[in-house]
Amino acid sequence: MASDSEKSLLAGLLNPTPQTDQKVVSKRRTFRRCKSAPLAEFLPGEINSTNEVQSLKRAESFFDNIHPSFRKVAIYLIFYLAIGTICFYFVKDQIKGEKKDGVLDSVYFCIVTMTTVGYGDLVPNSTPTKLLACAFVFSGMALIGLTLSKGADYLVEKQEVLLIKALHLTQKLGPTEILKEMETNKVRYKCFMMMAFLVVLIIVGTVFLVTIEKLDVVDAFYCVCSTITTLGYGDKSFSTEAGRIFAIFWILTSTICLAQFLCYVAELNTENRQKSLVKFVLTRKMTNVDLEAADIDNDRNVGAAEFVIYKLKEMGKITQEDVSLLLQEFENLDVDQSGTLSTCDLMLAQSAQGRR
Amino acid sequence: MASDSEKSLLAGLLNPTPQTDQKVVSKRRTFRRCKSAPLAEFLPGEINSTNEVQSLKRAESFFDNIHPSFRKVAIYLIFYLAIGTICFYFVKDQIKGEKKDGVLDSVYFCIVTMTTVGYGDLVPNSTPTKLLACAFVFSGMALIGLTLSKGADYLVEKQEVLLIKALHLTQKLGPTEILKEMETNKVRYKCFMMMAFLVVLIIVGTVFLVTIEKLDVVDAFYCVCSTITTLGYGDKSFSTEAGRIFAIFWILTSTICLAQFLCYVAELNTENRQKSLVKFVLTRKMTNVDLEAADIDNDRNVGAAEFVIYKLKEMGKITQEDVSLLLQEFENLDVDQSGTLSTCDLMLAQSAQGRR
């Protein structure tokens, strides 16, 4: 293949003026296409329909790897709560405060501790329980911070496709457009969804506290705010049995939601800053010094791919380390040292690996 | 420059056998260098000494932009605390609990609220104060989450260079090696530093509570744990005047430190996963389908830069969107449509922009 391309290259160079010979013209066209219009194949519309679907598939399989599957998160949580409940159930006489039902109180105490709400309506009252509570709050924080929040993020991303489909129902977007819309405004959608979810949780919590715990509206709202922020002064808390059952689910969901919402806001900030950096890099004038620095294969010309790599480095998306590592790998694969990879190179490289 | 390179290319193709003519040989050598050994200039050792220093400079100037300068963070904090103190000082009769000194209590209440520790030793006791507390806890959370934690991260990164220098004092590392070491183990160092700092803060807090607040050791440790995790049951808290002055500084520092530590642990996890993905991508065999997909300029050969871009996409470090955007920019700059950028292209592109 390499020699074929070289031939057409040669033909192009040797025949700089238009030719009537059909064969030469067609050869030359191949060459010109590669030299003058490397971007023709990369118009966003065309590329997205094929490559983005591929990249989605790859992203999803990658996604499954990095995100702990939801089952795993649930198992961790149940395991943590089970151990917590058993521990605190056995020392329930060493916990003082407003007690209702043994098992329920233990679960409730676990949730209030692991989410760091810490009302103080139930408080450890002996040295072992105090140390147990210390151990539980640290492990609970780590569990929420490292696992549950990722589970929440995973759920939100899954919902996002549905949301975008629903929002653009009238326009009947194809899968490509949905992907594009999702790619561009991903974090924004996440923020809005989480905010909507938070508002629902706040309303549900307030209504519950007013109806079941018989608090007045301001106190209920105050208790809701104090809970979801994990402030937990403890002057208002869940004191009925029904309230504590509700609290177990509601506290866990709402504290994670607020934390995740803040994460998304921070992500949105970073993204906006990244976007303005990209804009700056794109509009900045290239100088000769830039050209020289961008020239990876040192042929005194900067090809499309070299330009892309140089600008990506400038945007801070990749580092020189990434590039060096891959160039080394390229050198290993490029067995015939032609400076380009061909099918032939791959076969040689793989047979060489087999022999080793 | 483009024509010059084409000439040497032509010379190389026309003279495939070794020549004695000195001029032709030298021309051919230029060509061969570009075609057969594009990686010679990119051996890690050589590249790092020049490019990494450059990239550091760029990273630092970028750094100054994204990280709110420390002064800004301090101004936000002082502003928040000043407003908080004034507000809560005016409604101090509507706060019930263990009161000491008007202004001190207000600042202490602000800190306990904004960090979401919420001991409950001071509690709002009227509708306006309750709503005020709700507003303050949300803004305090946002302030800590979005600003202070970034300030902390900035400080840690600044310290890191000093730490690495100190650790390798006997080996006398040059700036390049320090940069390399920092680049590779950045997050790990951050984790260790934050952990060490946390241990110091825990010890200081415990000693203080034992000596000044006269708690026994277990209670002191329990109060420390309950505070830094923002649990704040409130059965043990800072009740003396000296304790509250200490608490103002200690609570703010220690809660931010623990949160930041968890962030670093999560970052380390992500980095490890990213590293194993990179390893997977590097060891995966290239197929013909990959070759075809990697070929940006469609010349049926995959150059070094094209290979790098393809693998970076596979690693998830860049997206097709990034590449498309930059290819479009490349097309704009490549005025003579040669498929490569030269000084001539840049001059033409810039004069064209001037005319527009």
Side-chain angles (χ1 to χ4, degrees), chain A residues 138-340:
Chain A
F138 278 112
S139 52
M141 257 187 117
L143 182 67
I144 288 193
L146 303 179
T147 316
L148 290 194
S149 64
K150 268 173 201 163
D153 188 54
Y154 178 76
L155 276 188
V156 170
E157 281 199 34
K158 285 243 156 177
Q159 299 293 313
E160 205 173 12
V161 183
L162 295 178
L163 178 73
I164 293 171
K165 270 186 191 161
L167 283 178
H168 298 88
L169 207 61
T170 47
Q171 295 167 28
K172 288 229 169 119
L173 292 183
T176 318
E177 280 109 340
I178 289 177
L179 277 171
K180 216 176 144 57
E181 176 70 19
M182 220 177 101
E183 197 61 47
T184 335
N185 290 313
K186 197 172 196 158
V187 189
R188 204 176 297 268
Y189 275 113
K190 280 189 194 174
C191 264
F192 283 134
M193 271 177 66
M194 217 29 133
M195 207 172 179
F197 203 49
L198 256 181
V199 169
V200 170
L201 278 171
I202 289 174
I203 292 170
V204 168
T206 311
V207 169
F208 183 90
L209 282 168
V210 169
T211 52
I212 309 291
E213 295 270 336
K214 310 287 179 208
L215 296 180
D216 71 49
V217 178
V218 173
D219 278 349
F221 179 71
Y222 163 72
C223 178
V224 163
C225 288
S226 139
T227 304
I228 64 173
T229 57
T230 78
L231 181 58
Y233 287 132
D235 51 344
K236 306 280 173 221
S237 63
F238 295 87
S239 52
T240 65
E241 218 162 295
R244 290 199 174 169
I245 294 172
F246 171 79
I248 290 169
F249 300 98
W250 183 79
I251 292 177
L252 197 60
T253 325
S254 56
T255 49
I256 292 176
C257 275
L258 183 60
Q260 203 63 33
F261 174 67
L262 278 180
C263 284
Y264 290 152
V265 172
E267 213 177 315
L268 200 63
N269 270 350
T270 312
E271 203 187 66
N272 286 342
R273 224 151 28 204
Q274 178 67 26
K275 272 185 185 161
S276 63
L277 180 70
V278 166
K279 208 175 160 188
F280 166 76
V281 168
L282 279 179
T283 51
R284 196 178 69 81
K285 276 186 184 168
M286 287 279 279
T287 63
N288 290 343
V289 179
D290 290 317
L291 272 192
E292 216 159 293
D295 186 14
I296 288 179
D297 56 11
N298 217 43
D299 62 353
R300 284 183 289 165
N301 275 317
V302 174
E306 288 171 328
F307 176 79
V308 170
I309 290 177
Y310 183 71
K311 286 290 189 181
L312 284 173
K313 269 197 279 185
E314 207 173 9
M315 286 174 190
K317 294 207 174 185
I318 57 173
T319 63
Q320 181 56 46
E321 215 184 340
D322 297 326
V323 178
S324 307
L325 197 69
L326 286 169
L327 283 176
Q328 220 143 20
E329 172 70 12
F330 178 81
E331 200 174 19
N332 294 340
L333 283 178
D334 184 21
V335 180
D336 65 1
Q337 307 233 316
S338 60
T340 56

Side-chain angles (χ1 to χ4, degrees), chain B residues 10 16-17 21 43 98 124 127 135 137 140 168 185 204 227 247 254 258 279 309 318 329 344 352-353:
Chain B
L10 197 58
T17 50
D21 181 329
L43 291 173
E98 283 183 68
T127 302
V137 67
H168 298 87
N185 291 313
V204 168
T227 305
S254 55
L258 183 61
K279 211 176 158 187
I309 290 177
I318 56 174
E329 172 70 13
C344 175
Q353 275 177 352

Side-chain angles (χ1 to χ4, degrees), chain B residues 157-171:
Chain B
E157 280 199 36
K158 284 243 157 179
Q159 299 292 314
E160 203 173 14
V161 184
L162 295 178
L163 178 73
I164 293 171
K165 268 185 192 160
L167 283 179
H168 298 87
L169 207 60
T170 48
Q171 295 168 27

Side-chain angles (χ1 to χ4, degrees), chain B residues 33-319:
Chain B
R33 199 166 62 136
C34 89
K35 289 294 274 185
S36 69
L39 313 171
E41 339 294 309
F42 270 75
L43 291 173
E46 281 173 48
I47 200 101
N48 288 337
S49 55
T50 54
N51 277 40
E52 282 212 352
V53 174
Q54 277 178 13
S55 76
L56 174 79
K57 272 184 201 152
R58 197 172 297 134
E60 270 192 345
S61 66
F62 169 46
F63 204 65
D64 288 342
N65 287 330
I66 61 159
H67 279 273
S69 69
F70 212 64
R71 208 172 52 180
K72 208 166 142 197
V73 173
I75 288 171
Y76 280 154
L77 183 63
I78 290 168
F79 190 70
Y80 176 87
L81 283 178
I83 296 214
T85 309
I86 292 168
C87 288
F88 287 114
Y89 186 76
F90 276 113
V91 293
K92 67 177 187 293
D93 301 329
Q94 297 165 36
I95 293 178
K96 67 171 180 192
E98 283 183 68
K99 291 187 193 171
K100 297 284 153 190
D101 172 77
V103 177
L104 179 62
D105 282 353
S106 302
V107 181
Y108 173 74
F109 184 74
C110 272
I111 292 282
V112 168
T113 302
M114 83 181 288
T115 56
T116 76
V117 169
Y119 288 127
D121 50 354
L122 290 173
V123 165
N125 200 25
S126 69
T127 302
T129 21
K130 280 174 187 173
L131 294 178
L132 200 63
C134 289
F136 257 80
V137 67
F138 278 112
S139 52
M141 258 188 116
L143 181 66
I144 289 192
L146 302 178
T147 316
L148 291 193
S149 66
K150 267 173 205 162
D153 188 55
Y154 178 76
L155 276 188
V156 170
E157 280 199 36
K158 284 243 157 179
Q159 299 292 314
E160 203 173 14
V161 184
L162 295 178
L163 178 73
I164 293 171
K165 268 185 192 160
L167 283 179
H168 298 87
L169 207 60
T170 48
Q171 295 168 27
K172 288 228 168 120
L173 292 184
T176 318
E177 280 109 338
I178 289 177
L179 276 173
K180 216 175 145 54
E181 176 70 20
M182 219 176 101
E183 196 61 47
T184 334
N185 291 313
K186 196 173 196 156
V187 188
R188 204 175 297 267
Y189 275 114
K190 278 189 194 173
C191 263
F192 284 133
M193 271 176 66
M194 216 29 132
M195 207 173 180
F197 203 48
L198 256 181
V199 170
V200 170
L201 278 171
I202 289 175
I203 293 171
V204 168
T206 311
V207 169
F208 183 90
L209 282 168
V210 170
T211 51
I212 310 291
E213 295 272 335
K214 309 289 178 207
L215 296 181
D216 71 49
V217 178
V218 173
D219 278 349
F221 180 72
Y222 164 73
C223 178
V224 163
C225 288
S226 139
T227 305
I228 64 173
T229 56
T230 77
L231 181 58
Y233 287 131
D235 51 343
K236 307 281 173 219
S237 63
F238 295 89
S239 52
T240 65
E241 219 162 296
R244 289 198 173 171
I245 293 172
F246 171 79
I248 289 169
F249 300 98
W250 183 80
I251 292 177
L252 197 61
T253 327
S254 55
T255 50
I256 291 176
C257 274
L258 183 61
Q260 202 64 33
F261 174 68
L262 277 181
C263 283
Y264 289 152
V265 172
E267 212 177 317
L268 200 64
N269 270 349
T270 312
E271 204 187 63
N272 286 343
R273 224 151 28 204
Q274 179 66 29
K275 272 184 185 162
S276 63
L277 181 69
V278 166
K279 211 176 158 187
F280 166 76
V281 169
L282 279 179
T283 52
R284 196 176 69 81
K285 276 184 183 169
M286 288 279 281
T287 62
N288 289 343
V289 179
D290 290 318
L291 273 191
E292 215 160 291
D295 186 14
I296 289 179
D297 56 11
N298 217 41
D299 62 354
R300 283 183 287 163
N301 275 317
V302 174
E306 287 171 327
F307 177 79
V308 170
I309 290 177
Y310 183 70
K311 286 290 189 181
L312 284 173
K313 268 197 279 184
E314 208 174 9
M315 287 175 189
K317 294 206 174 184
I318 56 174
T319 63

Side-chain angles (χ1 to χ4, degrees), chain A residues 13 16 31 35 299-302, chain B residues 1-12 27 30-31 334 336-345:
Chain A
L13 287 166
F31 165 65
K35 291 293 275 185
D299 62 353
R300 284 183 289 165
N301 275 317
V302 174
Chain B
M1 252 201 209
S3 63
D4 194 65
S5 148
E6 266 172 24
K7 252 185 257 161
S8 71
L9 201 66
L10 197 58
K27 282 238 170 200
T30 318
F31 164 65
D334 184 20
D336 65 1
Q337 307 233 316
S338 61
T340 55
L341 277 190
S342 58
T343 321
C344 175
D345 281 320

